[in-house]
Amino acid sequence: MKSAICARGVLHIRAVRSVRRVPFPWSTENPILIRKCGKCKAVCPYDAIAKKERPCKNACGVGAIVSDKYGRAYIDTEKCVSCGMCMVSCPFGAISDKSQIFQLTRALQEEGSEIIAEIAPAFVGQFGENINPRNIKAALIELGFKGVHEVALGADIGAVAEAHHYVEKVVTGELPFLLTSCCPSWSMMAKKFFPTMIDNISQELTPMVATARKVKQEHPDAKVVFVGPCASK
C-alpha cells in the first residue's frame, strides 16, 4: 500500500491490518511528510480519510486565503481584492467587516447634525413586496437622517461619463476597449492580476462616490452615510 499509493511513505499497515499515518514532528528543520495530494482519499473504499476545505477559501476567486506552516488561515493582502466573499461564506464569523454603526448612532443623536443617507438600489428587493421606496425613505428619516438619495444617481452620472470616455478613447482607436470602474473590487482585481489592462480601465468615480460628491455639493456641511449590501465599498 505504501509504495503503490503514497510515494512519501506516510501510510503504513500494522499487524492488525489498520492503516495509520507515520507520526512526524512538525518543524522547519524536519518538515512533515504529508502533502495533501489526495491519493490516499481517492483509493480508500471506506471514506476513512476525509477532505475538508475552508468555506472562505472555496469562496475566494483570487486565491487570497492561504495557510501558514501550522495550517492557520490568513488573508494574503497582495492578492485580496476586498470583495467580501470570504466574510459572507465563513460559518464561524471569523472574518468581519469594519462597522461604524456605533459612530453613526451617536452622530444621529447629536442635536443639529445633518446626516444624509445614500442607499444602494439593491434595497428594492430586500424587504418584500409590501415595502416600497417611500417606506424605506420614511424609515430612514424617522431614524434621524435629514435626507435620502439613491446611489442609482451616481450610477447614471458614471454611465454618462464612461460613455464620453468611450467615444474619446475607443471610437477614435486610441484604446481597443474600455472596462468599467464602477466596482472597486473589479478594478483592484484587474490592476493586480491583469496589469496590462490598467490603461483600459475607466477612471470615473464609483456610483457611491459620485452620489456622495453630488450630495456634498448641495449640502457641504452634511455627513454622508452609504447604506448597501456590498462589502467592497
Side-chain angles (χ1 to χ4, degrees):
M1 184 179 207
K2 176 179 69 173
S3 60
I5 300 172
C6 184
R8 302 185 64 84
V10 178
L11 297 179
H12 281 239
I13 301 179
R14 292 176 177 175
V16 294
R17 305 300 296 175
S18 63
V19 179
R20 66 182 177 89
R21 281 182 172 175
V22 177
F24 214 88
W26 183 283
S27 68
T28 54
E29 295 79 19
N30 196 11
I32 197 168
L33 288 175
I34 299 173
R35 286 294 179 266
K36 300 180 181 180
C37 65
K39 290 184 178 180
C40 55
K41 172 178 172 54
V43 300
C44 181
Y46 310 108
D47 291 327
I49 302 173
K51 180 183 179 182
K52 295 183 178 180
E53 295 183 357
R54 292 184 172 93
C56 57
K57 183 176 181 180
N58 289 337
C60 182
V62 296
I65 305 294
V66 294
S67 301
D68 62 13
K69 64 179 182 179
Y70 299 109
R72 299 174 299 192
Y74 68 94
I75 299 175
D76 185 346
T77 55
E78 295 297 320
K79 295 181 179 179
C80 180
V81 296
S82 302
C83 67
M85 287 303 299
C86 58
M87 181 178 66
V88 300
S89 301
C90 180
F92 311 109
I95 304 173
S96 61
D97 195 9
K98 181 181 179 181
S99 174
Q100 294 179 316
I101 190 68
F102 175 77
Q103 293 92 327
L104 174 59
T105 302
R106 293 293 298 271
L108 288 172
Q109 295 173 342
E110 294 178 1
E111 186 175 352
S113 62
E114 184 181 13
I115 304 177
I116 296 177
E118 55 167 347
I119 184 168
F123 81 90
V124 174
Q126 300 297 307
F127 303 100
E129 298 179 355
N130 296 325
I131 302 299
N132 56 45
R134 183 177 297 178
N135 300 140
I136 299 297
K137 181 178 181 180
L140 290 172
I141 296 297
E142 189 171 347
L143 284 173
F145 289 95
K146 300 303 182 183
V148 180
H149 293 258
E150 286 193 42
V151 178
L153 170 65
D156 289 341
I157 295 173
V160 172
E162 286 188 348
H164 286 294
H165 191 178
Y166 181 89
V167 171
E168 294 173 1
K169 299 295 183 179
V170 180
V171 175
T172 59
E174 185 174 340
L175 292 176
F177 55 86
L178 184 67
L179 301 171
T180 183
S181 61
C182 65
C183 173
S185 289
W186 150 247
S187 296
M188 194 182 304
M189 184 196 71
K191 291 174 182 177
K192 283 187 175 183
F193 295 93
F194 306 97
T196 57
M197 299 293 180
I198 291 179
D199 293 336
N200 297 93
I201 301 175
S202 172
Q203 299 301 311
E204 302 304 326
L205 300 174
T206 65
M208 179 189 72
V209 176
T211 302
R213 288 195 177 184
K214 185 66 176 178
V215 172
K216 293 291 282 185
Q217 288 177 359
E218 300 174 0
H219 306 272
D221 298 326
K223 297 177 180 178
V224 183
V225 176
F226 172 70
V227 182
C230 180
S232 175
K233 298 180 177 63

